Amino acid sequence: MPPFPGSGLAKGLAVTLRTMTRKSHTAQYPDVQPELPPRTRGVIGLFEENCTVCMLCARECPDWCIYIDSHKETVPPAAPGGRERSRNVLDRFAIDFSLCMYCGICIEVCPFDALFWSPEFEYAETDIRDLTHERDKLREWMWTVPEPPALDPGAEEPKELAAARKTADKLAAQRAAEQEAAAQAPGETPGRNGTDGTPGTAEGGTA
């Protein structure tokens, strides 16, 4: 049965009336800053001290927007007779955010926790060349990285913490056993000479 004439108009008016009675949810940006979740993908910060120039982030980036330059330095041996070692020194770390698609692969593959998400998103530029952030700028974004959320009370303890706790408990037990063995080591038997184990005087004689 075909709809009666004007049914579409009636449905449209019904939607309009329902919308008019609802409370609006307009965000007064930029006067009121939005409340972003902690895992917001805004911009990427660099913790330079953790970077070992392994190049994993640059190799895995689908957009090839990470630029890394480095050089090798020789480290003298830590002890006499040791061997010299070579280590990579970071010269340049830059991310071109005009190419970045915010997939987060670079952060996921970093084995040394050198890259982090920051919820900051207000870094638009009038010149596209300014969207290439060098390592000094990426370091500044680290100050805006939020603290990680607390673990679920029922969650399993991380493997790193479990291993560290197991090692600490083992060392504590070993130290306690050594102290107990030292306390039971053969020595002066109490009451042998004096009442407390100290040499005493002969009865009826001179000291």
Side-chain angles (χ1 to χ4, degrees):
M1 180 179 180
F4 63 89
S7 60
L9 178 61
K11 291 181 180 179
L13 291 175
V15 173
T16 303
L17 290 174
R18 285 198 304 269
T19 306
M20 289 176 60
T21 57
R22 294 176 183 174
K23 183 180 179 181
S24 62
H25 296 278
T26 303
Q28 302 298 330
Y29 178 83
D31 297 329
V32 178
Q33 293 293 319
E35 295 184 3
L36 302 175
R39 298 182 66 180
T40 298
R41 298 187 176 189
V43 70
I44 299 173
L46 170 67
F47 190 53
E48 187 176 333
E49 287 76 5
N50 284 358
C51 182
T52 61
V53 201
C54 65
M55 304 294 291
L56 270 177
C57 55
R59 288 200 299 264
E60 298 295 332
C61 177
D63 295 328
W64 293 87
C65 64
I66 300 178
Y67 313 112
I68 300 176
D69 293 329
S70 65
H71 69 276
K72 288 186 177 293
E73 287 186 356
T74 301
V75 180
R83 295 175 53 187
E84 293 183 345
R85 297 181 303 158
S86 63
R87 66 184 181 95
N88 294 322
V89 179
L90 185 66
D91 293 328
R92 185 194 183 200
F93 195 111
I95 299 178
D96 187 355
F97 287 102
S98 66
L99 298 177
C100 179
M101 64 179 184
Y102 304 91
C103 63
I105 292 178
C106 58
I107 297 176
E108 295 294 331
V109 300
C110 179
F112 302 105
D113 290 334
L115 297 173
F116 296 87
W117 279 118
S118 166
E120 297 293 327
F121 60 92
E122 298 176 319
Y123 53 94
E125 301 287 350
T126 56
D127 190 343
I128 193 173
R129 291 172 294 184
D130 294 333
L131 286 174
T132 300
H133 294 186
E134 299 292 337
R135 66 177 184 176
D136 293 337
K137 184 66 174 178
L138 296 175
R139 178 60 180 265
E140 293 179 5
W141 290 123
M142 278 300 302
W143 297 104
T144 63
V145 174
E147 294 183 2
L151 295 177
D152 189 343
E156 183 179 355
E157 188 177 36
K159 294 185 296 184
E160 296 82 1
L161 290 180
R165 193 183 307 279
K166 183 178 180 180
T167 303
D169 293 342
K170 184 178 180 181
L171 291 176
Q174 183 179 359
R175 191 177 297 112
E178 291 175 355
Q179 292 177 354
E180 184 178 356
Q184 296 178 355
E188 300 242 354
T189 305
R192 191 174 189 179
N193 295 317
T195 57
D196 58 352
T198 59
T201 58
E203 186 176 353
T206 58

